[in-house]
Amino acid sequence: MTSVVVGGESFALRDEGRGPAVLLVHGFPLDHTMWDAQIEALSSRHRVLAPDLRGFGGSVVTPGQVTMARMADDLAALLDALGVTEPVTYAGFSMGGYVGWPFLRQHRQRVARLVLCDTRAVADTLEAAQGRRAMADKVEAEGAAVAADAMLPKLLAPGRAERDPALAQRVRAMILATDPRGIAAAQRGMAERTDARPDLPLLGVPTLVIVGEHDAIATRGEMSALAAEIPGARLVEVRGAGHTSPMEEPAAVNAALLGFLRAP
Ligand code: MLT
């Protein structure tokens, strides 16, 4: 683990390997360790950068509301601080994909390739946004266990927690270790995000779309519609996985990533 100070604020990250840079952006309410298996698999040929977003893991916590656009600017500043000037492969899982949309709008020249993993382009409905704000208030009042209880059943494939209690425990521990103010601020930020679907035909970068067969948050149907809007995008469905496909089926996700990164 490394930490980098950007504008007086500290961000934690794993920075492993050498070669073309791959930026792995975690989901909610998780941290960079969700990518452990991918860091291991990719770092023999790539410089793998896996940061903790603002409010998560070992990074600075900003209470209130943190927008996806702010997180995107944090990532660009982090790349500057690390001296990464060449365009990277941006791989965003779920909320990491939501951060990818403003990253592409604000820092387009930094992206050589794009991986969208178990993520969505649509904005929240009014009802969903209200639900997020209510959860944010509750997490601030009662702690991260509120988020763990609400999210865990939606993260893993049906039956996965029973078959692999160690994985369920790992995900739960990751959520419980997250600062409640960071969880709340990101929830409020996600509630504000805009519809990214108009961007899809214009992305202009090689794109890989990965979806867990049983993803309950970014469903197969929704992700195949998303992939169909991106010219030339490749869609990989991960058999047996739920939302957290990189953790549930790391070998299949690693194979998809390595194949994509190897392609000309
Ligand atoms: C995530 O995995 O990042 C979240 O499930 C995203 C969301 O709550 O929409």
Side-chain angles (χ1 to χ4, degrees), residues 26-30 93-96 98 120 132 151 155 187 190 193 217 243:
H26 67 79
F28 170 91
L30 307 174
F93 166 77
S94 201
M95 181 178 73
Y98 306 164
R120 314 183 70 193
R132 286 194 193 276
M151 295 297 297
L155 294 178
Q187 269 291 34
M190 285 193 283
R193 69 192 202 284
I217 294 172
H243 184 57

Side-chain angles (χ1 to χ4, degrees), residues 15-38:
D15 179 357
E16 304 289 339
R18 285 167 178 231
V22 179
L23 180 63
L24 300 176
V25 186
H26 67 79
F28 170 91
L30 307 174
D31 61 40
H32 77 275
T33 62
M34 66 155 285
W35 295 114
D36 278 354
Q38 286 70 43

Side-chain angles (χ1 to χ4, degrees), residues 50-206:
D52 286 334
L53 292 166
R54 182 180 293 271
F56 295 87
S59 289
V60 58
V61 176
T62 302
Q65 175 177 289
V66 173
T67 61
M68 303 297 100
R70 183 164 191 194
M71 290 185 188
D73 286 342
D74 286 340
L75 292 176
L78 201 55
L79 292 175
D80 283 340
L82 293 164
V84 179
T85 51
E86 82 276 12
V88 304
T89 295
Y90 183 106
F93 166 77
S94 201
M95 181 178 73
Y98 306 164
V99 176
W101 309 127
F103 192 82
L104 279 154
R105 283 183 212 124
Q106 292 152 207
H107 308 284
R108 173 65 189 78
Q109 75 291 353
R110 289 197 177 270
V111 183
R113 286 167 190 257
L114 179 66
V115 181
L116 300 166
C117 184
D118 299 288
T119 192
R120 314 183 70 193
V122 290
D124 282 349
T125 60
L126 275 179
E127 195 189 359
Q130 272 164 9
R132 286 194 193 276
R133 294 189 186 103
M135 198 225 258
D137 294 346
K138 199 157 189 260
V139 168
E140 276 176 342
E142 296 172 27
V146 170
D149 293 342
M151 295 297 297
L152 257 175
K154 292 189 273 184
L155 294 178
L156 304 177
R160 172 75 66 176
E162 294 70 31
R163 288 197 306 281
D164 191 350
L167 175 64
Q169 187 46 41
R170 186 178 154 213
V171 177
R172 188 173 176 82
M174 210 185 289
I175 300 173
L176 293 181
T178 306
D179 191 312
R181 296 169 307 163
I183 296 176
Q187 269 291 34
R188 296 189 185 108
M190 285 193 283
E192 296 291 315
R193 69 192 202 284
T194 54
D195 187 357
R197 285 174 300 177
D199 300 357
L200 299 178
L202 308 169
L203 295 180
V205 281

